[in-house]
Amino acid sequence: MANLTAQRALNPPMVEAVEIHKAFGNHEVLKGIDLEVQRGEVVCILGPSGSGKSTFLRCINHLEKLDYGRLWVDGELVGYRERDGQLYELKEYEICAKRAEVGMVFQRFNLFQHMTALENVIEAPMRVRKESRKVVVDRARRLLSDVGLADRGDAYPRQLSGGQQQRVAIARALAMEPKLMLFDEPTSALDPELVGEVLAAMRKLADDGMTMVVVTHEIGFAAEVADTVIFMADGVVVERGKPLDVLKSPQHERTKAFLSHTF
């Protein structure tokens, strides 16, 4: 494993997971996940509820600790350092510093209700990275414009639709200038008519070259935007490949059964 770490540091993928296992009590959720995400790649993870998709995503930024296996982001172990073949968990402040390099957008928007959209976006760069207010405000206004909310910076979350709030959440994650973006079913809490505006913001991110791992039920988005589609079920990767191969010509019966209910 030590040699593997040295090799990956030379030319690492953005994400590499090896034999990832995670259980909650007696319930084994992840049963040996192996996955690579290259720089600039968009990977969409599909699968039924309870398949371990969201748990795996949370492992990538150490919101969930692994029970077994190793996970690297940009060539660095997530949550640990390695010495003489042994893993030592990082201190909490070190974990938080690394987590700040990875943006994450959740199902629920989790905006600060007492702050405007602009204030939500500037909070982390100012508080965590100690950046100047002027620099951060300029960046925040650009990001809000990028997600189609240039005129809503002074609005509070209660004054925004669900789709607008989720786009603020995307801008907030991007304000930390992450190297990687994680999306955990970002449209599942939205009314159907609001889904398109969030997916459009995500398409623009993909077009701009952002590395993205997206847990989603939006098959059309996966077909159009993803470079790789992963199908998970029962805690394992059942099938992976190019979008049209997996979505139109799946090889595994479990994938065929799932897609037969979604098209």
Side-chain angles (χ1 to χ4, degrees):
M1 280 289 191
N3 289 336
L4 284 175
T5 302
Q7 291 169 14
R8 289 182 178 90
L10 296 175
N11 187 28
M14 184 58 75
V15 179
E16 182 161 12
V18 176
E19 272 293 300
I20 301 302
H21 288 256
K22 177 66 182 177
F24 297 100
N26 294 324
H27 178 48
E28 191 176 16
V29 178
L30 300 177
K31 305 173 183 177
I33 302 295
D34 295 312
L35 181 66
E36 283 192 12
V37 181
Q38 304 303 323
R39 296 168 189 276
E41 187 178 16
V42 178
V43 174
C44 285
I45 304 178
L46 311 177
S49 298
S51 60
K53 307 182 303 296
S54 294
T55 297
F56 174 68
L57 204 69
R58 291 169 64 85
C59 287
I60 294 176
N61 63 0
H62 208 59
L63 287 173
E64 298 290 352
K65 297 180 182 180
L66 308 182
D67 294 330
Y68 181 81
R70 299 196 185 186
L71 205 156
W72 293 262
V73 170
D74 198 18
E76 296 187 359
L77 278 169
V78 173
Y80 300 89
R81 64 169 49 89
E82 186 173 19
R83 190 182 308 122
D84 298 327
Q86 295 294 315
L87 292 183
Y88 299 88
E89 189 166 14
L90 299 178
K91 297 184 183 301
E92 188 60 31
Y93 76 88
E94 294 175 298
I95 292 171
C96 289
K98 291 300 180 184
R99 190 176 288 146
E101 299 175 351
V102 179
M104 187 159 186
V105 178
F106 299 88
Q107 297 178 31
R108 297 291 175 177
F109 327 122
N110 298 326
L111 299 179
F112 295 114
Q113 296 299 308
H114 65 289
M115 294 182 178
T116 65
L118 182 69
E119 290 168 341
N120 267 278
V121 176
I122 69 175
E123 176 72 4
M126 289 180 59
R127 186 176 296 270
V128 177
R129 291 173 46 168
K130 310 300 183 186
E131 294 185 75
S132 75
R133 182 180 178 87
K134 182 183 186 310
V135 169
V136 176
V137 167
D138 288 346
R139 185 190 309 147
R141 292 195 186 283
R142 173 178 56 79
L143 290 170
L144 287 171
S145 177
D146 286 347
V147 297
L149 295 172
D151 61 342
R152 302 296 278 159
D154 294 330
Y156 288 89
R158 64 180 179 275
Q159 299 171 315
L160 301 172
S161 70
Q164 289 172 327
Q165 290 186 60
Q166 191 63 296
R167 284 184 280 154
V168 173
I170 293 172
R172 177 180 60 183
L174 291 171
M176 291 293 284
E177 301 182 308
K179 61 180 70 175
L180 167 68
M181 284 288 287
L182 309 176
F183 293 86
D184 188 6
E185 300 192 24
T187 61
S188 65
L190 299 177
D191 292 332
E193 65 269 21
L194 302 177
V195 168
E197 62 193 54
V198 174
L199 295 181
M202 294 170 64
R203 283 189 190 92
K204 184 178 186 307
L205 272 184
D207 290 342
D208 291 342
M210 174 62 73
T211 309
M212 298 163 58
V213 182
V214 184
V215 170
T216 184
H217 290 294
E218 299 292 338
I219 304 297
F221 176 83
E224 178 186 349
V225 178
D227 298 295
T228 301
V229 169
I230 305 288
F231 177 72
M232 284 181 62
D234 302 319
V236 299
V237 172
V238 174
E239 194 159 348
R240 74 187 78 198
K242 297 295 183 183
L244 288 181
D245 292 338
V246 174
L247 299 176
K248 296 297 186 182
S249 304
Q251 301 301 303
H252 197 283
E253 291 302 321
R254 189 70 180 83
T255 317
K256 293 176 183 177
F258 174 80
L259 292 172
S260 70
H261 296 294
T262 57
F263 279 115

